Amino acid sequence: MQAIYIAPNQLNKLIQAIKSIEKVTEIKSLLFLMADNEKYPANILCPILGKITIPLIGGIFPELIFSNERKKSGVLLIPLAFELKTQLFDLSQAPENYIKQLEEVQKDSIDHSSALFVFTDAFSKNKEPFIQSLFNFFGLNPTYLGGGAGSLSFKPFPCIINNQGIHQNSAVIGWTKKKVAVGVAHGWTPISTPLKVTKCANNLLEELNWQPAFEVYRKIVEEHSKTKFTDDNFFDIAKSYPFGISVIDTEPIVRDPVNLIDNAILFFDSVKEGEYVGILHGNVDSLLEGASKARELAFSKIDMDKNSETAFCIDCISRVLFMQNDFKKELDTIGQDSQIVNGILSIGEIANAEDSFLEIYNKAIVVGLW
Amino acid sequence: MVENIQKELLLELVFSVDSEKTEFEILQKSIPLFLRKLNCVFAAALKKKEDDFEEMMLMPFVAKKSSEWESLRTLLLNHKSDINKPCCEHILNGIYYYAFELNKYGLLILGRKMPFHRNLNHELKPVANHLGKALIQAEEREEKKITDLQRIKLLKELEISRAEMLKVIEEQQKTEIALRNSETHLQTLIQTLPDVVWFKDINGKYLFCNKMFEQFTGINSDELIGKTDYEVYAKKLADIYVKSDRKVIESGKTIRAEETNINKESGIQTTSDVIKTPVYNSNGNIAGVLAISHDITERKNHERALQESQEKYKLITESSLDIIFIVDKFGKQLFFNESVEKILGYEVSELIGKSFTNFIPKSERLKYLKQLKKVFLNKEIVNFETMIYHKDGHLVNAEISGKLVKSGEQQVGQGTIKDITYRIEAEKEIKLKNSQLIQLNAEKDKFFSIIAHDLRAPFNSFLGLTQIMAEELPSLTMDQIQEFASSMQNSAAKLFSLLENLLQWAKVQQGLVPYNPSEMNLMIAVRESIAITVESAKVKNLEIDNNIHEEISVYADKNILQTIIRNLITNSIKFTPKNGKVEITSKLKKDNKVEICVKDTGIGMSQKMIDNLFRLDIQTNREGTEGEGSSGLGLYLCKEFIEMYGGKIWVESTEGRGTAFFFTVPFYK
């Protein structure tokens, strides 16, 4: 069964769509993805979620992707022909608890050909320890794919969805004994030598090479872009110049600067003191190349006819903000062989593509195929 | 760029090792960093332990359960390090595993999907070595810390023990001093006690006695110590003492008893309240009996006297027919004898402790309280009448007497309550009869004055007429003589009627009028009565209707009934003007009585006349409409007759319209 999109303010259609999905016996579970704009309020949606008989996970994201198109509002239902063993985590709890909880529910979730869908609250402080706990528990057995839920308003709110309702500061997983091919790429390339993070506090980068972070950043970026930073154009410039955490034998892990606080740079996700980071740059072409690479990687891992099946895409919303009208090309790149592309525009992407440690990526594109 | 990155990453790995942390903390930071920075899928730190490795940290945890890891461990256990190689390499299930020496600490295991570049392997060796050194240092620090901690703990424990020992010694010394003081105090106490104290061993030999014992018994302690009761007292007395001692020893319990003593010197017999208690030795066995006894001879004497007094008092109070009570100054009842149950229905326990005002009607309470006050404040002896509620609710007339007495230390009110209900009832009866008698006499006096007055009038007339006849007969004409004779006849008739009524009244008063009721037809009886009065009615052209139902039978004395009917009809004829009507009717009532009505269309009566109609002492007679005479006795006689057989008579009348007399007669079924 194909994915179903329901426009906002069409509650009856949503209910009818859910009922139609439930009637199909082949459908074992559901991805419930909703856009932040004009979202259904919790008091209306929760009763509906509570009545759905098949396992579901999902979240509220800045935007959706349906049939290769951006959707700034509405609900995307992706029926799955495989069962998800779902579990909800309260990320306000101490990280030590996550393993215990996983042991309780997922102790039999061991299979080399498996996948783990993960959606987290993008603004949760315990996101990284949670991801680390997932990797500690599941290891490399499953393919991970997922993303951060939330709103571009940067205000935390309940955005993680499961059968029990909508939750804040939470994460939800769905494990399945189904091989899912994942490809991760971004298309950003370094323009600087590695810089040492000499002082930082979680998401706030204060010093690079013992100098104020923004001073170092500004020098490199202004030289490269030939543009000066002013009081109100930080994001406009910085969106083209993310940071990348160096990793051997693979692309750097991108970190997206979102704001400037005095001379410190605020990221979406954390950087660690002692790490080496580089300043990256990309353009539409390099990003599209990255999208294509992600797609190729995904297809290389699965025996599938490239012309059939749906591609599930987890694309970073900041790529949209960067590419703007050219973003359509990215979706077309993913669906270049007439694939229908459905998915989300998220705040941070979660994937590992089987050959590396599980990471939270920024400004990346994750393509999943099943 | 790649080499730069590699160099920087290696530096990052080196600098990330904080040698000040614990083993666990170092590994907790390093292992994930190795995983991430070196793009590994597996990382672990193993610590050498003789012939095995201890898994210090492993990521992901799930890999620990895999068979792959088991195989790898086995390989690693058997590997021998080669100084020419940077690390040991194994490939299992497509994963490249590298084992680097962590100095002498153990091994760092890294797993990758892709092989490391050879250079990187070599570069990683010193990094792993550095990590190993930090771990060794952390281990040594930990051991030293433990040792130091243990040493400190031991020292502390020693210090504590020493301090405790000193404390114990100090306590012991204090206890000894306290014990010595205590013994001295105890000795003083025992010797100065006003009570007798002695101690015998398990065989009954005296081991100790105090001065009071010597005084009380007249036996010196020198003569006593070491001897048994049989050696000191007479057998009978000794038997008693020994028996109770045995009881204490056998039961192991303290007993209390009264014992008799005889002073050996004076021979005076006394009674003691003795408490005997077993004394145990350090083995927990009974070693002897300790006793303390108090002279209660005087108390016993008092008790005896009190008991005798109480018994006397009880005898007096229990045999009294009246209630004997004691009350305190607050009005609370302290005592009642059993007569309270007979007279008021309460059990004694229901009244004790309660205020007596609760049992007196509200109207009498103030009086009672005033009397109580007189007793307690003025110390008067009081005697008053009041009423008290019986338990079943009715009031009992009572005469209460009371005075102030002393009972022990307190002053109480003591008194009696006499039931005077019968007396009061009798008094009431006498009073009633007296008043009835007085009224009756008053009525009779009045009556006789009226009769005398009524008799005088016709007699005066009669005398006057006879005087004229006697003095002037020759000069009188025949008409005059006729007139005088007629007047005389009238007067005589009136006199006769009055005298007849008088006679009949007298008979009724003396109970000489017989009442012999029988069944009779009412209509016939009325008809016969009417027949006697019909001539009087004809003179005034009055209609007399007998409307009695012909089927009604009554049960009455015929003469009396006809007298009543006749009197009523005669009255109606007298007071009905010419051409009027008199009607006699009957009505059967629910109470098995017949109501007879004699109704006329006469001059009627005022309410005042009606109210006084049946009274002897008020003159209600008046002349008829044609001057007919009336004594007033007729109606009174009717009433007397009717009430004789239990009937009722009443009247309804309207002035100018007529009168109806009603009376009842028993119906005959």
Side-chain angles (χ1 to χ4, degrees):
Chain A
M1 194 178 183
Q2 301 292 332
I4 303 171
Y5 172 76
I6 301 102
N9 304 313
Q10 292 190 352
L11 193 65
N12 281 337
K13 278 196 176 172
L14 174 63
I15 294 168
Q16 289 308 317
I18 291 167
K19 280 184 181 164
S20 66
I21 289 169
E22 284 178 316
K23 280 180 190 162
V24 179
T25 50
E26 288 78 24
I27 304 301
K28 305 292 182 196
S29 45
L30 183 64
L31 296 179
F32 191 109
L33 312 163
M34 185 158 72
D36 176 42
N37 198 23
E38 290 185 274
K39 56 184 177 287
Y40 292 103
N43 61 332
I44 289 173
L45 199 58
C46 289
I48 297 170
L49 294 169
K51 285 180 187 161
I52 298 174
T53 54
I54 54 175
L56 73 93
I57 58 169
I60 301 170
F61 302 93
E63 290 185 25
L64 306 172
I65 304 168
F66 175 67
S67 291
N68 307 42
E69 298 274 335
R70 275 170 73 183
K71 295 289 181 189
K72 292 186 181 178
S73 60
V75 174
L76 179 62
L77 302 174
I78 301 182
L80 304 173
F82 42 86
E83 192 170 331
L84 291 177
K85 192 188 281 185
T86 66
Q87 193 173 356
L88 181 73
F89 296 85
D90 178 2
L91 297 185
S92 65
Q93 287 185 17
E96 294 78 41
N97 290 333
Y98 305 147
I99 292 286
K100 282 181 204 163
Q101 287 173 52
L102 282 164
E103 277 170 350
E104 278 167 26
V105 178
Q106 305 284 354
K107 63 178 188 297
D108 296 324
S109 303
I110 302 166
D111 203 291
H112 286 291
S113 290
S114 58
L116 191 75
F117 290 86
V118 184
F119 298 113
T120 65
D121 184 335
F123 298 98
S124 173
K125 287 183 181 139
N126 277 340
K127 225 173 18 178
E128 283 199 28
F130 172 68
I131 296 299
Q132 198 168 315
S133 300
L134 282 183
F135 184 76
N136 261 333
F137 185 83
F138 290 104
L140 284 177
N141 287 323
T143 306
Y144 299 85
L145 71 162
S151 163
L152 282 179
S153 65
F154 285 84
K155 286 180 187 163
F157 69 100
C159 55
I160 295 299
I161 294 175
N162 74 346
N163 294 82
Q164 279 73 52
I166 310 176
H167 316 273
Q168 188 173 345
N169 199 15
S170 302
V172 70
I173 63 171
W175 181 88
T176 179
K177 196 177 169 180
K178 165 85 179 166
K179 188 172 168 65
V180 172
V182 165
V184 186
H186 50 71
W188 303 94
T189 52
I191 59 159
S192 75
T193 54
L195 306 161
K196 186 162 183 172
V197 176
T198 49
K199 190 176 180 187
C200 78
N202 245 353
N203 296 19
L204 191 65
L205 175 62
E206 292 178 66
E207 283 179 11
L208 287 166
N209 289 353
W210 294 273
Q211 294 172 70
F214 177 62
E215 289 303 319
V216 174
Y217 178 74
R218 183 161 64 90
K219 196 174 168 189
I220 296 167
V221 167
E222 279 180 349
E223 194 185 317
H224 190 271
S225 67
K226 309 287 185 243
T227 319
K228 294 279 184 202
F229 278 103
T230 61
D231 288 339
D232 52 7
N233 71 349
F234 173 81
F235 187 72
D236 293 333
I237 299 172
K239 68 182 179 187
S240 309
Y241 290 91
F243 282 76
I245 300 170
S246 306
V247 180
I248 279 180
D249 293 341
T250 190
E251 291 191 356
I253 300 162
V254 180
R255 286 290 176 260
D256 215 348
V258 293
N259 211 351
L260 197 61
I261 300 172
D262 296 329
N263 270 331
I265 300 171
L266 184 71
F267 291 106
F268 252 129
D269 287 292
S270 66
V271 289
K272 292 190 176 34
E273 221 168 82
E275 276 191 317
Y276 283 88
V277 294
I279 297 170
L280 311 175
H281 181 62
N283 52 33
V284 172
D285 292 329
S286 70
L287 262 58
L288 288 173
E289 212 178 294
S292 183
K293 186 180 171 188
R295 180 177 177 278
E296 290 300 326
L297 277 169
F299 272 106
S300 70
K301 291 168 189 174
I302 198 160
D303 292 329
M304 268 172 62
D305 183 350
K306 284 183 184 180
N307 293 325
S308 64
E309 290 296 337
T310 310
F312 181 71
C313 177
I314 301 167
D315 207 335
C316 190
I317 188 66
S318 60
R319 289 167 77 87
V320 177
L321 297 173
F322 174 74
M323 294 168 82
Q324 297 196 18
N325 294 333
D326 287 328
F327 179 72
K328 182 74 175 72
K329 293 178 188 173
E330 179 150 293
L331 295 178
D332 292 337
T333 304
I334 304 296
Q336 61 186 261
D337 290 322
S338 306
Q339 258 80 40
I340 300 166
V341 181
N342 296 318
I344 52 176
L345 297 175
S346 61
I347 306 172
E349 300 71 57
I350 299 165
N352 82 322
E354 292 177 40
D355 58 0
S356 62
F357 187 57
L358 185 60
E359 286 285 356
I360 298 172
Y361 296 92
N362 290 166
K363 273 181 144 65
I365 178 165
V366 177
V367 176
L369 297 169
W370 59 81
Chain B
M1 190 70 82
V2 171
E3 280 182 12
N4 277 341
I5 291 167
Q6 185 173 295
K7 191 173 70 181
E8 303 299 351
L9 282 172
L10 288 169
L11 275 173
E12 191 181 333
L13 290 171
V14 168
F15 286 130
S16 73
V17 176
D18 186 346
S19 52
E20 297 300 314
K21 299 283 184 192
T22 64
E23 285 170 80
F24 178 75
E25 284 166 346
I26 293 170
L27 287 170
Q28 198 178 33
K29 190 172 176 188
S30 298
I31 297 298
L33 205 59
F34 274 89
L35 262 176
R36 198 187 195 199
K37 296 298 179 181
L38 298 175
N39 202 16
C40 296
V41 298
F42 177 85
L46 303 178
K47 187 173 180 179
K48 263 190 209 148
K49 290 275 182 191
E50 294 180 359
D51 296 329
D52 199 359
F53 287 108
E54 183 185 343
E55 291 166 13
M56 296 300 289
M57 189 159 286
L58 199 146
M59 279 184 81
F61 299 158
V62 70
K64 203 170 165 175
K65 296 175 196 171
S66 66
S67 53
E68 206 171 288
W69 173 240
E70 280 304 311
S71 310
L72 186 62
R73 268 187 70 107
T74 311
L75 284 168
L76 292 170
L77 272 170
N78 295 326
H79 106 278
K80 286 183 178 24
S81 59
D82 184 348
I83 55 167
N84 294 320
K85 285 187 181 172
C87 60
C88 177
E89 289 179 35
H90 299 284
I91 303 169
L92 284 171
N93 292 338
I95 307 284
Y96 292 81
Y97 290 97
Y98 299 90
F100 295 89
E101 294 275 348
L102 287 166
N103 198 275
K104 291 189 176 104
Y105 182 84
L107 291 174
L108 171 68
I109 314 299
L110 298 172
R112 291 188 102 217
K113 281 269 176 137
M114 293 180 301
F116 278 132
H117 194 272
R118 187 170 293 129
N119 285 351
L120 185 57
N121 273 351
H122 285 276
E123 299 285 0
L124 280 171
K125 185 178 175 180
V127 173
N129 191 52
H130 170 75
L131 176 61
K133 275 186 187 168
L135 288 167
I136 290 167
Q137 282 172 6
E139 188 186 24
E140 283 168 358
R141 259 198 321 275
E142 197 62 30
E143 280 172 4
K144 187 171 177 292
K145 203 171 162 186
I146 290 168
T147 314
D148 283 345
L149 278 170
Q150 281 173 341
R151 199 178 302 127
I152 291 165
K153 193 178 168 190
L154 194 61
L155 278 169
K156 270 189 183 157
E157 282 172 5
L158 275 170
E159 191 53 44
I160 289 166
S161 299
R162 187 173 158 275
E164 278 175 2
M165 258 178 59
L166 281 169
K167 204 172 164 188
V168 166
I169 291 166
E170 207 180 302
E171 288 289 331
Q172 266 180 343
Q173 282 170 346
K174 275 184 189 167
T175 308
E176 274 174 22
I177 293 165
L179 265 170
R180 271 201 294 274
N181 287 340
S182 176
E183 206 180 318
T184 311
H185 290 144
L186 194 62
Q187 270 299 324
T188 311
L189 180 70
I190 292 173
Q191 292 303 339
T192 54
L193 266 177
D195 289 340
V196 168
V197 179
W198 53 252
F199 177 65
K200 294 178 200 169
D201 68 10
I202 195 134
N203 298 313
K205 285 193 181 156
Y206 282 93
L207 297 179
F208 169 81
C209 72
N210 69 346
K211 285 210 174 359
M212 201 60 197
F213 181 96
E214 290 172 348
Q215 268 177 256
F216 199 68
T217 59
I219 304 171
N220 263 333
S221 59
D222 300 331
E223 298 167 32
L224 183 73
I225 301 301
K227 290 184 181 161
T228 65
D229 289 309
Y230 288 107
E231 293 168 87
V232 177
Y233 299 107
K235 186 178 179 306
K236 201 174 172 184
L237 207 56
D239 279 341
I240 296 167
Y241 295 162
V242 168
K243 191 177 175 186
S244 74
D245 291 347
R246 284 273 121 228
K247 202 172 166 186
V248 171
I249 291 167
E250 279 158 19
S251 68
K253 288 180 182 167
T254 302
I255 62 164
R256 189 171 185 165
E258 286 181 9
E259 286 181 351
T260 311
N261 312 108
I262 299 173
N263 190 296
K264 266 206 158 171
E265 279 182 4
S266 64
I268 298 171
Q269 185 173 309
T270 52
T271 310
S272 301
D273 176 16
V274 185
I275 300 171
K276 291 184 180 179
T277 189
V279 174
Y280 292 86
N281 59 20
S282 55
N283 295 332
N285 300 320
I286 296 177
V289 178
L290 173 70
I292 177 163
S293 81
H294 181 74
D295 184 5
I296 55 169
T297 312
E298 203 178 321
R299 195 190 83 195
K300 290 300 272 186
N301 290 338
H302 285 147
E303 278 175 11
R304 215 171 290 122
L306 184 65
Q307 197 176 352
E308 282 169 15
S309 168
Q310 279 178 339
E311 277 165 12
K312 269 186 206 161
Y313 186 78
K314 194 176 173 187
L315 197 64
I316 294 165
T317 57
E318 292 309 324
S319 56
S320 170
L321 293 174
D322 293 336
I323 298 171
I324 298 174
F325 68 88
I326 295 175
V327 65
D328 70 9
K329 64 182 176 186
F330 302 110
K332 218 171 16 170
Q333 297 300 322
L334 303 176
F335 171 79
F336 275 108
N337 68 347
E338 285 179 5
S339 295
V340 73
E341 198 171 336
K342 290 176 201 146
I343 293 172
L344 296 177
Y346 295 103
E347 287 183 20
V348 172
S349 57
E350 290 178 276
L351 299 171
I352 298 298
K354 291 183 184 157
S355 172
F356 208 57
T357 49
N358 294 334
F359 303 93
I360 292 175
K362 270 189 188 163
S363 55
E364 293 288 305
R365 283 180 194 168
L366 189 61
K367 182 176 26 171
Y368 172 76
L369 290 169
K370 277 182 179 169
Q371 299 299 324
L372 204 65
K373 196 173 164 184
K374 278 185 189 173
V375 168
F376 279 95
L377 288 180
N378 305 341
K379 298 185 174 39
E380 287 177 29
I381 297 172
V382 298
N383 183 290
F384 62 97
E385 289 181 13
T386 185
M387 287 186 280
I388 305 171
Y389 281 112
H390 191 276
K391 189 171 178 180
D392 63 18
H394 79 265
L395 283 168
V396 173
N397 292 93
E399 182 184 327
I400 301 179
S401 309
K403 67 173 186 179
L404 194 66
V405 298
K406 205 168 176 191
S407 174
E409 291 302 314
Q410 61 172 337
Q411 293 197 312
V412 294
Q414 182 184 289
T416 58
I417 301 173
K418 196 192 283 282
D419 183 359
I420 55 169
T421 310
Y422 290 115
R423 196 190 79 196
I424 299 291
E425 294 295 321
E427 281 174 6
K428 274 187 194 164
E429 187 67 29
I430 290 167
K431 212 171 173 179
L432 181 69
K433 294 285 183 217
N434 273 347
S435 69
Q436 282 177 345
L437 204 61
I438 289 165
Q439 191 184 349
L440 209 57
N441 284 336
E443 283 181 3
K444 277 187 186 161
D445 289 344
K446 197 78 182 187
F447 167 67
F448 279 121
S449 76
I450 293 167
I451 292 295
H453 179 268
D454 285 350
L455 274 173
R456 178 191 277 196
F459 259 115
N460 274 341
S461 169
F462 200 76
L463 277 168
L465 286 168
T466 50
Q467 192 179 357
I468 293 171
M469 292 275 291
E471 289 174 0
E472 293 176 27
L473 188 63
S475 61
L476 291 172
T477 63
M478 198 51 80
D479 287 337
Q480 282 177 321
I481 293 167
Q482 183 74 36
E483 195 184 325
F484 286 151
S486 191
S487 291
M488 278 163 62
Q489 201 262 336
N490 256 347
S491 294
K494 276 183 192 170
L495 266 167
F496 183 78
S497 170
L498 186 61
L499 282 167
E500 209 171 60
N501 276 344
L502 203 61
L503 189 65
Q504 209 160 27
W505 176 82
K507 278 185 183 174
V508 164
Q509 293 303 304
Q510 288 169 64
L512 294 175
V513 176
Y515 180 70
N516 299 311
S518 61
E519 183 259 334
M520 71 181 95
N521 186 281
L522 182 61
M523 195 205 72
I524 295 170
V526 169
R527 189 169 60 198
E528 289 170 359
S529 300
I530 290 171
I532 298 168
T533 58
V534 73
E535 289 302 317
S536 314
K538 273 183 185 171
V539 168
K540 291 170 97 173
N541 197 31
L542 296 176
E543 188 185 326
I544 300 180
D545 291 336
N546 179 1
N547 291 329
I548 300 290
H549 197 280
E550 58 189 35
E551 298 296 326
I552 291 181
S553 293
V554 295
Y555 187 73
D557 184 290
K558 191 173 180 181
N559 285 333
I560 288 174
L561 180 66
Q562 286 183 327
T563 305
I564 294 165
I565 297 169
R566 203 167 47 244
N567 271 341
L568 293 177
I569 294 172
T570 306
N571 251 12
S572 289
I573 291 170
K574 253 188 226 174
F575 296 104
T576 305
K578 288 181 182 174
N579 306 314
K581 183 177 169 184
V582 177
E583 187 187 5
I584 302 101
T585 56
S586 67
K587 192 167 32 170
L588 186 60
K589 305 293 277 183
K590 280 182 190 170
D591 55 354
N592 224 26
K593 298 247 167 41
V594 177
E595 183 186 281
I596 301 168
C597 174
V598 178
K599 189 176 175 180
D600 62 53
T601 57
I603 59 174
M605 288 182 280
S606 66
Q607 189 58 46
K608 193 177 173 184
M609 283 185 74
I610 294 169
D611 291 341
N612 296 324
L613 205 59
F614 298 107
R615 288 184 69 157
L616 272 180
D617 56 338
I618 293 174
Q619 195 169 0
T620 54
N621 57 324
R622 52 179 176 171
E623 283 188 348
T625 55
E626 298 300 317
E628 303 96 320
S630 165
S631 67
L633 269 178
L635 284 174
Y636 188 80
L637 277 170
C638 288
K639 182 171 177 290
E640 291 282 298
F641 285 143
I642 289 164
E643 285 177 359
M644 197 188 333
Y645 61 74
K648 268 172 45 176
I649 180 168
W650 67 97
V651 62
E652 288 169 14
S653 182
T654 311
E655 278 187 294
R657 292 186 66 176
T659 300
F661 276 93
F662 298 88
F663 70 98
T664 57
V665 176
F667 174 62
Y668 187 87
K669 282 191 186 168

